[in-house]
Structure formats: structure tokens, C-alpha cells
Amino acid sequence: MSKTNHFGIAIAGLGTVGSGVAKILSDHQVGDNGLFLKSILERDPEKGPAREWFQKIPEAFVNDQESILQDPEIKVIVETIGGTGFAREFTLEALKRGKHVVTANKDLIATHGAELCAKSQSCNRHYLFEAAVAGAIPVLSLLREYFQTRDILELEGILNGTTNYILSEMETRSLGFEETLKQAQELGFAEQDPTNDIKGYDARYKLVILAYLICGQWISPSEIYLEGIDRLELPDFEYASRMGRSIKLIARMRRVEEKGNNYLQAFVLPMMLPRENVLSKIDGSTNALSLKGRFSEDISLIGKGAGSLPTASAIVSDLNRVARNEKPIPLPSNTELFQLMPFNESFFRHTLRFEVYDEPGIVGMIGKILAESGINIYALEQLPQYHRIGDAERESVIFTITLEPCSEGVLWEALDKINLASFMIQPVNVLRESL
Ligand code: NDP
Ligand code: HSE
């Protein structure tokens, strides 16, 4: 397989994505870009997608990292192992030994991006990760181009295919959360341990990377406010539909200039979106991003956010970039320092779902507590079909209130009191809409 003066590639981790890269490189690369697959690092070549490749090209398989790191023909390593342990150590060592690294590992970049990017610069090597955010959608390349003019002011996106699939199914087929999740697992959309997706961690990793490409600043994932989709129930979708809204897991960031300070508002939340918002129409496992630029104005990007070949296509585009350009692309360097806006200071239109043991005076008491915090009610709905006979024969009921816009801090001053009331079956569920 070796060719002189060409870009030998080693794939580390030949699972779903790594095998997609092998396939594109072997079957579909056209033109003389010099890229060729030289080695594959895999623990067990007899299982999963590696098996087929082990039968085709057993000579490419190695099981120790040294044979890749010491091979002068290997110029680029594709890291598709995943995780933040071995993958981090291996990437740092590869850069140190003069290899370029291309990856889809969003967990690693979001948590150790500052260290890895600095290392790649000091070693004068590429560290590229187009595939880590929104799969086949070339959003990072676009942001790298726009960084020079500090153009992008706002971004909101559907960055997780698994959760978007679940939300679309709940909305269109009126299936409950658990049932939809199980179906998504059976169809291979959701992993057996779906925590990273449904709790929003995956989308938050991607938002950290996008924020870096927009502002040149690494934010620690844990600093970004996050809520997942696992508290949503069918009445939320039914209410949203009557209000002309869809519910989507939205990753959002916005630059805010206030009193001479540069703030960055960033969060990942299930949100209500009006039907005219382009993201409200994104169904299934598709990803999408809406960007607002100072000069470029509105840009929408839609495409496949995951899967073997779509993700691999982004890796191969990075490999082509390395083959075209020996010099690493300069990092987005930060000239304005941004402070993360405390989530409590964010304003939304909030929709509250209450599930209570039915008794007289509940709405009155809630209204009084909201009024004490200066919060005005915009809409209120309690329908006959939401009455149930629950535990110990006590009647329960679900009702929903949409509030006039207020800050998160003011809202929680009231909700902390309401959640203590003895009639509350579970804490209020909050859905938000951007203003
Ligand atoms: P897989 O689990 O399918 O593949 C990872 C492969 O790496 C497995 O074959 C695994 O073997 C192997 N591996 C793990 N540790 C080592 C090691 N120490 N040495 C050698 N091989 C090792 O994961 P994916 O392909 O789905 O994901 C890879 C990366 O791409 C992750 O960072 C993921 O977040 C990212 N990504 C994935 C997308 C997708 O659609 N799947 C989309 C976008 C990004 P074993 O099974 O033995 O552990
Ligand atoms: N689990 C992720 C998703 C894979 O569902 O979008 C792509 O990063």
C-alpha cells in the first residue's frame, strides 16, 4: 500500500466513523492528492466494522501505537477512538512526534481543546476537527473563514441527531419519551447508554467548539447552562402545538455588548420555537444551524450530523486540507475577552407545566407567588383530558401557564417557593422561548 512522497494515513480506532474513513479513502478518493491508507490501529480486528477490513487488508493492522508513531511514511493520524483518556495521550504524543491529527472526538476537543490546539501550534502540525460538530455540515470551515472579520454574532443549532429524532417522533407520532427512546435504540439512532445525548452533554461539547471558532476563547463545558430532554412529556408537545410551536433541543450562543463589557450568552435547552423558525422544521436525526452575522446576516446550514459516511466525509475533507497545505492553519486568536453571562440574567418567555394533586386555590396561590416577583401571566390552560385519578385515589391534573418575558433569576425566585407546595406532584417543568 505504500507510495513514496505521499501522505500516509493511519486510522486509530476502526469503529463506525473510522471504517467510514477507510471506505471513502479506498473506494472514492479521486485525483492525486497523495493520501493513502497505510495503517490501522485497532484492539480487536476480528469484531465490528474492523473485521471486514482485516479480511481485505490484514497487513495494514497494527496493535501498538509505536509502529504508527515511528513510521516516517505516516504523516497524518485519524483519531476515531473517542473518549478523553487514551485518545488525549495518543494525540499529544502524535503531535510531538510530528504527525498531523484529524479527529471527530468532540468530547476530547471540548474538554482539552486549549491544550491540544496549543500543542499542535507549538509542534507546527495540523489538529483538525471538522467532523466533531454537525458531521457532514462544513460549519467549522465556514467559521474559520469568518473569524477574521468577527462577523458571527449569534448561533443557534440542532446539534444532536438522537435527541432531534426523539423529539420529532414525540411531536408527530404522540409517542411517550421512554417508548421513543427505546425505538431509537432499536433503530441504531441512540446508543445503549444514551446519557450523553439525552442529557444534552453531546450538544454542549459541540457548542463549546463552535464558541471557540466564533470567539477564539475556550469555555469549560461545565460553565454552560444545560438541560436535557428527559423531563419532556406529551402534554408539553400538545400545548406547544396549540401555541403554534415545536420543541427542539437548542444549543445557542450570542455575543452581548453591555455597558462596555463583552458577554457571551451560551446554553443548551429544550426550547419552544415558532413554526416560522427554520429549525422548527428540522425532523429526524438531521442537524441544522442558523447563524446571524454582522455583515453576512442570516445563514442556515442543514445536513447529516452523524453516521459513518457523513462523519467520515468531514474527516476526509480535513485530510485533503492537510494534503493541500503543509502549514497548519493559524488558530482563532482572541483579541476581545468575553465573560460568560450568568444564566440567571437571561430573559425568556417561559412556559410552565404543573402536575398537581387537585384541590381548590392552587392557581390562586401560584398567581400570588408569581405576582410577588412581578411576573405577569400571558396564557393559562387546563383541559378536561388532563385530569387523572392518581396515587391513593387522589385526583391529579396537569395545567400549563405561559408567562410574560422575565429573567431566569426572577422566575426561580418564584418557582423555588411554588415547588415546595404540598400539592406539587413533581417540580414545575420549564420550557423556554427566545425573545
Ligand atoms: P466506535 O466505538 O464505533 O469506534 C471506536 C473504535 O475505537 C472501536 O473499534 C474501539 O474498539 C476502538 N478503540 C477504543 N480504544 C482503543 C485503543 N486504545 N486502541 C485502539 N482502538 C481502540 O465509535 P464511533 O466510530 O462511533 O466514534 C468515534 C469518534 O467519533 C468518537 O469520538 C465519537 O464521539 C465521534 N463521532 C461519532 C459519530 C457517529 O456518528 N458515530 C459522529 C460524530 C462524531 P473497542 O470496541 O474494542 O473499544
Ligand atoms: N450521538 C451524536 C448524535 C452523534 O446523536 O448526534 C454525532 O455526534
Side-chain angles (χ1 to χ4, degrees):
M1 296 195 87
S2 90
K3 303 177 188 174
T4 10
N5 298 326
H6 277 49
F7 269 83
I9 297 166
I11 301 176
L14 203 76
T16 307
V17 178
S19 63
V21 177
K23 186 160 178 54
I24 298 178
L25 289 176
S26 308
D27 301 355
H28 301 288
Q29 278 283 88
V30 287
D32 186 19
N33 58 9
L35 297 168
F36 72 100
L37 177 58
K38 171 89 195 290
S39 295
I40 293 168
L41 176 70
E42 181 57 54
R43 284 197 288 221
D44 182 359
E46 293 286 7
K47 68 160 186 43
R51 194 183 163 85
E52 177 196 335
W53 290 94
F54 190 52
Q55 282 161 3
K56 266 200 245 177
I57 45 168
E59 70 283 3
F61 278 76
V62 299
N63 58 13
D64 69 307
Q65 49 171 313
E66 273 308 310
S67 34
I68 287 177
L69 295 173
Q70 284 178 13
D71 186 339
E73 265 193 337
I74 293 176
K75 305 280 199 297
V76 199
I77 294 175
V78 173
E79 184 271 292
T80 40
I81 291 169
T84 56
F86 174 70
R88 172 178 161 270
E89 284 157 30
F90 181 54
T91 302
L92 288 169
E93 191 58 25
L95 292 167
K96 201 169 110 192
R97 304 265 203 107
K99 312 292 183 194
H100 304 286
V101 179
V102 173
T103 187
N105 190 340
K106 60 253 172 175
D107 312 30
L108 179 63
I109 304 155
T111 42
H112 297 286
E115 177 192 30
L116 293 163
C117 286
K119 187 76 181 172
S120 72
Q121 290 292 293
S122 67
C123 297
N124 202 24
R125 288 295 172 266
H126 288 275
Y127 183 54
L128 297 176
F129 38 86
E130 182 64 66
V133 182
I137 305 175
V139 60
L140 300 192
S141 301
L142 182 140
L143 293 178
R144 281 184 204 275
E145 301 303 326
Y146 280 54
F147 185 79
Q148 297 311 321
T149 49
R150 305 280 189 276
D151 185 38
I152 304 299
L153 302 175
E154 281 184 46
L155 170 153
E156 67 177 358
I158 294 173
L159 303 179
N160 184 271
T162 305
T163 44
N164 203 56
Y165 174 82
I166 293 173
L167 296 179
S168 313
E169 289 291 291
M170 288 179 79
E171 181 169 306
T172 55
R173 289 162 31 101
S174 296
L175 297 174
F177 176 77
E178 291 301 334
E179 195 182 342
T180 316
L181 171 60
K182 196 160 158 276
Q183 179 192 297
Q185 284 169 321
E186 280 161 10
L187 289 169
F189 284 116
E191 295 189 32
Q192 283 318 303
D193 178 0
T195 314
N196 250 7
D197 294 323
I198 65 171
K199 295 274 185 197
Y201 301 127
D202 179 76
R204 184 164 70 174
Y205 288 142
K206 293 166 179 169
L207 187 61
V208 167
I209 299 170
L210 290 168
Y212 169 64
L213 268 296
I214 291 172
C215 301
Q217 194 170 314
W218 287 103
I219 304 167
S220 162
S222 61
E223 287 179 90
I224 296 183
Y225 186 82
L226 166 78
E227 283 180 19
I229 65 161
D230 49 335
R231 284 205 65 211
L232 293 172
E233 294 180 10
L234 283 181
D236 298 320
F237 292 87
E238 291 159 4
Y239 181 80
S241 166
R242 288 190 286 274
M243 298 288 280
R245 305 284 188 266
S246 286
I247 299 175
K248 299 289 178 192
L249 183 69
I250 296 296
R252 190 166 205 271
M253 64 140 286
R254 188 166 72 98
R255 295 170 183 226
V256 184
E257 277 173 36
E258 233 173 54
K259 297 176 200 146
N261 290 319
N262 287 321
Y263 287 106
L264 195 65
Q265 185 192 42
F267 53 77
V268 174
L269 294 171
M271 296 190 80
M272 301 232 281
L273 301 182
R275 297 251 160 81
E276 54 277 14
N277 184 319
V278 69
L279 299 183
S280 79
K281 299 171 188 70
I282 306 300
D283 287 332
S285 62
T286 305
N287 280 195
L289 295 108
S290 294
L291 306 167
K292 196 177 281 299
R294 205 191 310 261
F295 316 115
S296 54
E297 301 189 13
D298 294 339
I299 302 171
S300 299
L301 303 164
I302 300 172
K304 288 272 174 223
S308 180
L309 291 174
T311 311
S313 74
I315 291 186
V316 174
S317 90
D318 274 346
L319 290 173
N320 282 320
R321 196 187 270 258
V322 176
R324 274 198 313 271
N325 184 3
E326 278 263 25
K327 279 202 178 310
I329 311 157
L331 295 178
S333 64
N334 185 358
T335 50
E336 320 154 77
L337 259 186
F338 286 90
Q339 236 180 297
L340 207 58
M341 181 188 257
F343 188 64
N344 265 353
E345 291 174 22
S346 296
F347 275 71
F348 298 99
R349 183 186 287 280
H350 300 89
T351 289
L352 313 176
R353 176 188 18 101
F354 295 85
E355 189 174 355
V356 299
Y357 290 116
D358 201 9
E359 61 189 43
I362 293 178
V363 172
M365 178 182 160
I366 290 171
K368 185 166 172 285
I369 295 175
L370 291 172
E372 280 164 7
S373 293
I375 303 172
N376 198 8
I377 292 175
Y378 171 71
L380 186 152
E381 182 193 81
Q382 177 175 313
L383 296 175
Q385 62 263 38
Y386 294 131
H387 281 268
R388 294 210 181 96
I389 301 298
D391 302 341
E393 297 296 298
R394 286 184 77 179
E395 185 166 338
S396 71
V397 65
I398 290 171
F399 62 93
T400 307
I401 296 178
T402 296
L403 306 174
E404 293 285 1
C406 69
S407 76
E408 232 10 71
V410 168
L411 175 78
W412 280 97
E413 189 184 282
L415 291 190
D416 283 341
K417 291 181 203 153
I418 293 170
N419 278 333
L420 292 177
S422 59
F423 53 74
M424 295 294 290
I425 294 176
Q426 55 169 315
V428 179
N429 186 62
V430 184
L431 265 169
R432 299 165 179 89
E433 183 173 333
S434 283
L435 303 176

